[in-house]
Amino acid sequence: AVVSTQSTGSKLRGRAKDFYLKALSLDPESEQAVCNLATIYIREGKAKEGLELMKRYLLNHATARAHTCAAECYLAIRQLEKAHQHFNIALELNRNYVRAL
């Protein structure tokens, strides 16, 4: 039987999403889980959901990684100025943070 790569990717993303949601229920402060979940939302075409998640997280956690994840959400919804602002904030917090360069 031939398995569609797209459906396999969707299934894996679904499992990863469940994993990160569970991780956040155990540790709502987990930056890795928040950023990875935001990335999954982007790949599902739900970047606005990822952005809302990042906005809530950034209220209490202004890190280079979190700002970069927010910037990637803004890029996905084509808000380039906001993306640029968050990439710049990430670099102000850590000028060597490669993902923000």
Side-chain angles (χ1 to χ4, degrees):
V2 176
V3 177
S4 164
T5 305
Q6 187 175 10
S7 68
T8 301
S10 294
K11 288 178 186 175
L12 290 175
R13 237 186 341 267
R15 280 190 255 164
K17 186 176 177 180
D18 291 343
F19 172 81
Y20 290 122
L21 288 168
K22 176 71 173 174
L24 286 174
S25 73
L26 298 172
D27 180 9
E29 309 297 310
S30 172
E31 183 174 63
Q32 180 176 356
V34 169
C35 287
N36 288 344
L37 188 55
T39 299
I40 290 170
Y41 283 133
I42 290 169
R43 291 187 180 159
E44 290 179 336
K46 300 176 183 176
K48 288 183 180 179
E49 288 182 44
L51 180 57
E52 290 307 313
L53 182 68
M54 293 314 306
K55 284 180 177 179
R56 285 191 305 272
Y57 187 78
L58 281 168
L59 292 174
N60 297 308
H61 307 88
T63 67
R65 182 177 185 189
H67 278 285
T68 300
C69 291
E72 291 167 351
C73 291
Y74 278 115
L75 279 178
I77 59 173
R78 296 182 173 34
Q79 290 190 17
L80 304 182
E81 185 59 35
K82 289 273 195 184
H84 184 73
Q85 289 171 0
H86 281 275
F87 280 130
N88 281 338
I89 293 168
L91 290 172
E92 287 173 12
L93 293 169
N94 180 350
R95 63 188 205 118
N96 296 315
Y97 192 63
V98 176
R99 276 186 61 194
L101 292 174

